[in-house]
Amino acid sequence: DPARSGGIFVEHGVHFFDLVEWLAGPPSAMMALSVTRDAGPTAAPLRDAVVALAVHPRAARGAPPAIATYYHAFVRPAEFERTTLAFAFQRAYLTVTGWIAVRLEGEAMLDESAPPLSGRPWLRIDLAEEYPGGRNLAGRGRIFNATRRVRLEGDLGDRWEVYRASVRAGLRDLLQSAADPGRRPEVDIGCARSALRAAAAATASQRTGTLVRL
């Protein structure tokens, strides 16, 4: 009920706008669409599937613009719902699974300058292919050298324990910041305000069918 929740983007999508902004900076433009489903003769139509596309300029981070897509649908039993985050990099693909993110799978093309990925007990790295002497590959108009391709797989275990640990860490950070006026919390009210701004822009775009610039 959008009148009570603000709609899917505000009630649910806001968390993912927040996550992507943490990774890629704030979006500059948002375009969104929705699907309305007939709920029967005695019920109001349901807008239970939405999609949005956001452009993240990333100029402040010295990186090229990025595009993020979002799809949210509440059309299945809660026990059968799933959340998947897919990331595409110049040299890697990563898929993170879980509303409380606990599982990671992916592939990466690495060279000798790649930072070490070992030392994380939850992450398994398997060599998929080796390129003796290195291989020059093209991506985003640039040439890079790869000496190997690896597969990554990781699982943090019980999602509720991960959730509890995250909440404890967040509260600990907030309390430390309250005790030390010179310390800024990892997540402050500005993060929430910015994510809500993106969710409101997606909601407006879905309602009007037009591009919304932030």
Side-chain angles (χ1 to χ4, degrees):
D1 182 355
R4 298 176 64 186
S5 70
I8 292 177
F9 286 126
V10 170
E11 187 274 332
H12 186 260
V14 67
H15 301 292
F16 299 94
F17 292 130
D18 179 43
L19 171 62
V20 174
E21 181 166 331
W22 178 63
L23 295 169
S28 62
M30 187 79 68
M31 185 72 195
L33 298 169
S34 63
V35 174
T36 302
R37 177 168 59 88
D38 185 0
T42 61
L46 289 175
R47 183 174 288 117
D48 55 9
V50 297
V51 62
L53 184 149
V55 177
H56 295 258
R58 301 201 302 171
R61 304 187 179 202
I67 293 177
T69 58
Y70 304 83
Y71 171 70
H72 302 269
F74 290 86
V75 296
R76 302 171 189 84
E79 297 79 5
F80 197 54
E81 285 287 358
R82 66 176 58 184
T83 300
T84 303
L85 305 170
F87 300 94
F89 302 93
Q90 182 181 14
R91 303 190 188 195
Y93 292 100
L94 294 177
T95 300
V96 177
T97 306
W99 163 240
I100 306 302
V102 293
R103 182 162 180 78
L104 177 147
E105 295 178 299
E107 284 190 308
M109 306 285 280
L110 303 178
D111 59 22
E112 296 309 318
S113 67
L117 298 176
S118 58
R120 296 166 175 83
W122 56 270
L123 180 63
R124 174 180 169 182
I125 304 169
D126 294 320
L127 181 65
E129 197 171 3
E130 198 164 15
Y131 312 126
R135 178 184 294 180
N136 286 332
L137 302 167
R140 279 188 173 162
R142 299 179 181 179
I143 303 296
F144 66 90
N145 185 267
T147 57
R148 63 200 184 280
R149 180 168 62 91
V150 299
R151 293 192 182 95
L152 302 97
E153 188 173 352
D155 196 317
L156 293 177
D158 180 66
R159 67 169 180 161
W160 293 113
E161 183 51 43
V162 173
Y163 194 15
R164 284 190 286 268
S166 299
V167 171
R168 285 195 295 266
L171 287 173
R172 190 180 306 114
D173 177 67
L174 184 62
L175 291 171
Q176 289 172 349
S177 299
D180 179 1
R183 185 179 188 277
R184 182 174 178 176
E186 287 287 329
V187 179
D188 60 22
I189 194 65
C191 299
R193 183 171 57 244
S194 188
L196 184 58
R197 185 186 300 119
T203 302
S205 176
Q206 161 244 296
R207 185 175 61 248
T208 62
T210 59
L211 178 73
V212 173
R213 298 192 181 277
L214 289 88

